[in-house]
Amino acid sequence: MKRMVQATWPVCMLMATLLLSGCGAVSGADEKVFMKHREADSLERQYLFLASYLGSEKPCFLIHPESLAVAPFNPAGTRASFLRSTCFSHVADYAGNETLCQHVRSVSTFLYSGDRLNAERCREAASSPSHVRMSGSLDVSKIVALAGHSYSDIDSFFVSAGVFPTINEAEQARRHDPARYWNEVRFEFLLSRDFFDSIGELPGFGNHHDLADMAAVRWSQ
């Protein structure tokens, strides 16, 4: 009996340490990924920033459902996450749309737990919407180009929206005052119906069901 206690004591201590450290191996996450996982692509992170800025879930469907991000220095329970779930959660929080939380799944790796990033927490946050746009490190010029918009398209939009009086002045601003020009792209063009309708042109990492769900998202100002 004494030998059995001695043998199991280290195991008990290890389990207790894992529980206290927030280790993913003993977390209560919806899913656990202990083998090699799909790391979030830099472009997928751009889609997270875009969705958070627009306050629309449409770009979230471009993210692969299994893309996983790890943040070892986050608080316990938030160190692993599916990037798509994070995307839906951010939009739900911004818009106060609890129905988006159905797309949120918590995940843990062997070392890192993400069990606190679940649908229940998403609904709690959505019940008190923030209405705060977060663009993170959104690469505006890259996104609009990938969506198929040329400088000519954007300049024409600016003229029709009254941002610049003429195409020539829009071109001059782009060449000689790029900070102002790209700020206008961020605050005017990205929030327009023109850009929203082109999100489906961005290269996606989902499947045909995701594309269908994305196409069903309606623009609202």
Side-chain angles (χ1 to χ4, degrees):
M1 183 67 178
K2 184 177 181 180
R3 289 182 179 178
M4 183 179 296
V5 171
Q6 290 175 336
T8 57
W9 177 249
V11 176
C12 292
M13 287 297 294
L14 174 61
M15 294 300 293
T17 300
L18 292 175
L19 285 168
L20 292 173
S21 66
C23 177
V26 292
S27 76
D30 297 325
E31 297 186 36
K32 294 178 182 179
V33 181
F34 293 160
M35 304 299 287
K36 186 176 180 180
H37 59 267
R38 188 185 193 283
E39 294 185 10
D41 181 270
S42 60
L43 185 55
E44 291 176 290
R45 294 182 185 277
Q46 286 292 305
Y47 296 155
L48 166 63
F49 300 147
L50 179 62
S52 299
Y53 179 66
L54 298 181
S56 171
E57 71 273 24
K58 190 171 184 178
C60 298
F61 290 105
L62 296 168
I63 301 173
H64 194 285
E66 305 301 325
S67 289
L68 195 147
V70 170
F73 301 109
N74 274 8
T78 65
R79 293 171 184 163
S81 62
F82 285 127
L83 200 67
R84 180 188 281 199
S85 292
T86 301
C87 188
F88 280 108
S89 185
H90 281 195
V91 177
D93 179 25
Y94 169 82
N97 187 351
E98 296 184 28
T99 61
L100 296 179
C101 298
Q102 66 182 310
H103 299 287
V104 175
R105 300 175 295 146
S106 60
V107 64
S108 293
T109 65
F110 183 79
L111 293 177
Y112 303 113
S113 171
D115 59 0
R116 292 178 58 194
L117 303 176
N118 54 34
E120 181 181 355
R121 295 266 180 155
C122 174
R123 286 189 288 270
E124 289 175 4
S127 65
S128 301
S130 64
H131 299 304
V132 175
R133 296 187 187 277
M134 299 182 295
S135 61
S137 301
L138 181 62
D139 189 335
V140 177
S141 61
K142 178 178 181 178
I143 287 295
V144 296
L146 285 174
H149 297 287
S150 65
Y151 290 146
S152 177
D153 295 334
I154 300 171
D155 294 346
S156 296
F157 167 83
F158 281 153
V159 173
S160 65
V163 177
F164 295 102
T166 66
I167 294 288
N168 182 61
E169 290 190 48
E171 291 176 348
Q172 290 302 311
R174 173 164 37 84
R175 291 171 180 159
H176 304 295
D177 192 1
R180 179 196 173 189
Y181 183 87
W182 289 107
N183 271 337
E184 296 291 359
V185 174
R186 179 186 294 268
F187 296 120
E188 295 289 341
F189 185 66
L190 283 188
L191 299 177
S192 71
R193 178 68 179 268
D194 290 31
F195 176 75
F196 184 86
D197 288 344
S198 71
I199 290 175
E201 301 302 316
L202 289 164
F205 298 86
N207 57 35
H208 64 282
H209 295 297
D210 297 321
L211 296 178
D213 289 339
M214 182 177 64
V217 179
R218 295 291 174 256
W219 182 74
S220 62
Q221 199 168 22

